Amino acid sequence: MSNYVFLGPPGAGKGTMGAMLCTAYGNIHVSTGDILRAELKAGSALGNQAKQCMEGGGLVSDDLVAALVRKRLSQTDIAASGFLLDGFPRTVPQAEVLATMLAEIGLSLDGVVLIEVAEDLLVKRLVGRRLCPTCGAIYNIFFAPPTHADRCDTCDVALTARKDDNLETVRNRLAVYWEQTAPLIGHYEAQRLLARVNGSGEKNANFSALQATLHL
Ligand code: AMP
């Protein structure tokens, strides 16, 4: 079983491609954004701690996120199925913690995939993103709108937008990516783990490119 990290700016499609890869090959999708949003929704102490950073588009502390990842990667299903880390690591210190953590658990990384997308497309993908609160379906008002404005095609409930998908927060998230996360590209290139995939196309074409890159 293989273990991957997906790297790329917000809106690159890490979640979408991650879900496709996990459905096809059985890896376990570990998204730190999803874990943090679940904590926020549950109103846990951890969620409250992360709330302000998340809503402003900044990063939650390395220690907090690393503890969540360590807990998930230590569970027995991970070694059996392989993992796909989506949204972690996001800083060089997080990558260093990950390397130590994996060595302690007895796992290793098989590849880091950088999903590359032009910046103007990223903004449209994020600002236009809408979610069905019932079934989780993802729409985009520019590229994949629902049949009836702002309602889920399947559930007929009103679609919602993520709180951090407004233009101001999106700009901040992109700035944070270039400042704090992009240095990971060189970090993993130096370890010969990095592979680049074009994520600008339609999702099935992007996924085929990913499969080819990873020789799947
Ligand atoms: P995402 O769903 O990956 O876009 O993450 C949503 C938000 O969760 C980010 O804007 C951060 O505030 C927080 N977050 C997710 N992953 C991390 C991480 N590895 N380090 C710090 N903050 C994170």
Side-chain angles (χ1 to χ4, degrees):
M1 275 303 146
S2 300
N3 300 318
Y4 302 111
V5 163
F6 275 11
L7 199 62
K14 300 185 294 296
T16 304
M17 287 233 250
M20 290 171 88
L21 182 119
C22 292
T23 301
Y25 301 103
N27 298 58
I28 294 170
H29 194 168
V30 181
S31 156
T32 45
D34 284 350
I35 297 173
L36 288 166
R37 276 185 292 277
E39 295 282 345
L40 234 169
K41 200 171 166 194
S44 70
L46 201 149
N48 288 333
Q49 223 178 310
K51 188 175 165 69
Q52 220 185 344
C53 292
M54 291 179 74
E55 288 180 357
L59 294 184
V60 175
S61 84
D62 288 345
D63 288 350
L64 193 156
V65 183
L68 288 174
V69 173
R70 179 186 293 274
K71 190 171 159 203
R72 186 63 190 93
L73 294 189
S74 302
Q75 290 168 6
T76 50
D77 56 345
I78 294 281
S81 304
F83 64 75
L84 164 64
L85 276 175
D86 160 3
F88 183 92
R90 245 178 167 101
T91 63
V92 171
Q94 287 184 13
E96 286 163 354
V97 172
L98 176 65
T100 309
M101 180 190 308
L102 291 178
E104 284 167 7
I105 304 172
L107 299 170
S108 60
L109 269 187
D110 297 290
V112 175
V113 179
L114 172 65
I115 306 176
E116 297 183 295
V117 176
E119 189 113 350
D120 54 343
L121 184 54
L122 293 173
V123 172
K124 272 191 138 177
R125 281 188 182 173
L126 293 166
V127 173
R129 177 160 60 182
R130 297 290 181 274
L131 310 166
C132 172
T134 304
C135 72
I138 303 173
Y139 297 86
N140 185 289
I141 58 168
F142 305 113
F143 308 120
T147 312
H148 302 290
D150 284 329
R151 299 197 77 79
C152 178
D153 288 349
T154 313
C155 312
D156 196 31
V157 297
L159 299 176
T160 57
R162 259 172 62 169
K163 258 196 167 159
D164 58 352
D165 278 346
N166 65 79
L167 187 58
E168 191 192 340
T169 311
V170 162
R171 291 223 166 100
N172 192 34
R173 287 161 67 199
L174 288 167
V176 166
Y177 171 78
W178 289 113
E179 199 177 298
Q180 301 195 51
T181 307
L184 288 174
I185 300 169
H187 178 88
Y188 283 122
E189 238 164 11
Q191 296 181 22
R192 299 185 170 280
L193 279 170
L194 195 89
R196 293 168 188 263
V197 172
N198 175 15
S200 301
E202 174 276 321
K203 72 177 180 184
N204 289 316
N206 295 340
F207 188 61
S208 297
L210 173 75
Q211 287 173 303
T213 301
L214 294 178
H215 308 292
L216 293 171

